[in-house]
Amino acid sequence: KRARAVRDEIDAEGIAVREAQRHSQRYFRVFRRSDGMINGDFLLAPESGGAEVLETFQAITSPRRGGPRFVDPVEQERAQRILDDERTPEQQQADGFVELLRLGVAADPRNLCGVRKPAVRVLTTTMPEGTGFGRIEGHPDPVSGHTVDRFICEAGILPIRFDHDGQVLNVGREQRLFTTVQRIALAARDG
């Protein structure tokens, strides 16, 4: 540590070079494993978002990871909920990561994802509420009827319902607004 501190004192211009080198090494990889689980790996320099990521995920599980104990009653209540949560800190952080992605896309989808908001396609056959099963497109294993119902209720999920003969019954929708084509047709019709 002392050697690095001395190097930084002697070579102040080199700090920016080393910072640029760390920044150029950043990556985020995500892939599907053979069992269908999604796996990821990333490397971030502290000044290129890494410090924010670390602080965010520590806050998600604090005080479980030895974080501060709060005097404010609202913060005490939040801290107690985290301590009482049966999920491991790693599971809490995984759920927090997914929620951060959902919030980010919902807040500014065009900035993050371009003109089309990401939508998960859930393929199902006709079934009463909570029964049967469905499949997430591209995923080998089925999901329960309850999971299908939950997906359909959440934003960004595109349900596609089939009858038992494989005919499409309902393609669902990503949002409850007119599509681009419908908007053009309405504009042409209504002037």
Side-chain angles (χ1 to χ4, degrees), residues 17 20 25 32 34 36 41 45-46 53 61 68 74-75 85 92-93 98 106 117 122 125 132 163 167 182 186:
V17 173
Q25 294 174 10
R32 185 185 336 255
S34 61
D41 182 30
V53 168
T61 56
V74 174
E75 285 297 315
D85 195 325
Q92 288 176 316
Q93 289 178 326
V98 172
K117 182 179 171 187
V122 179
T125 54
D163 66 13
Q167 298 298 315
Q182 289 171 327
L186 287 171

Side-chain angles (χ1 to χ4, degrees), residues 16-112:
V17 173
R18 289 187 293 279
E19 183 178 309
Q21 288 172 336
R22 285 192 304 263
H23 181 74
S24 70
Q25 294 174 10
R26 75 194 182 289
Y27 68 84
F28 183 90
R29 296 182 195 119
V30 65
F31 58 92
R32 185 185 336 255
R33 298 184 337 184
S34 61
D35 64 358
M37 296 290 285
I38 309 302
N39 196 1
D41 182 30
F42 67 90
L43 181 68
L44 298 171
E47 66 278 357
S48 301
E52 292 169 290
V53 168
L54 186 61
E55 289 297 318
T56 299
F57 286 105
Q58 286 178 344
I60 287 172
T61 56
S62 181
R64 193 180 255 192
R65 290 191 181 261
R69 301 293 189 241
F70 300 98
V71 178
D72 178 3
V74 174
E75 285 297 315
Q76 281 181 332
E77 183 180 322
R78 177 186 172 276
Q80 193 59 49
R81 280 195 316 269
I82 291 170
L83 290 169
D84 293 342
D85 195 325
E86 294 181 7
R87 296 173 296 170
T88 66
E90 291 78 12
Q91 290 170 330
Q92 288 176 316
Q93 289 178 326
D95 294 344
F97 174 72
V98 172
E99 187 61 24
L100 287 169
L101 284 177
R102 287 180 181 151
L103 291 170
V105 169
D108 194 359
R110 286 187 171 268
N111 188 36
L112 288 173

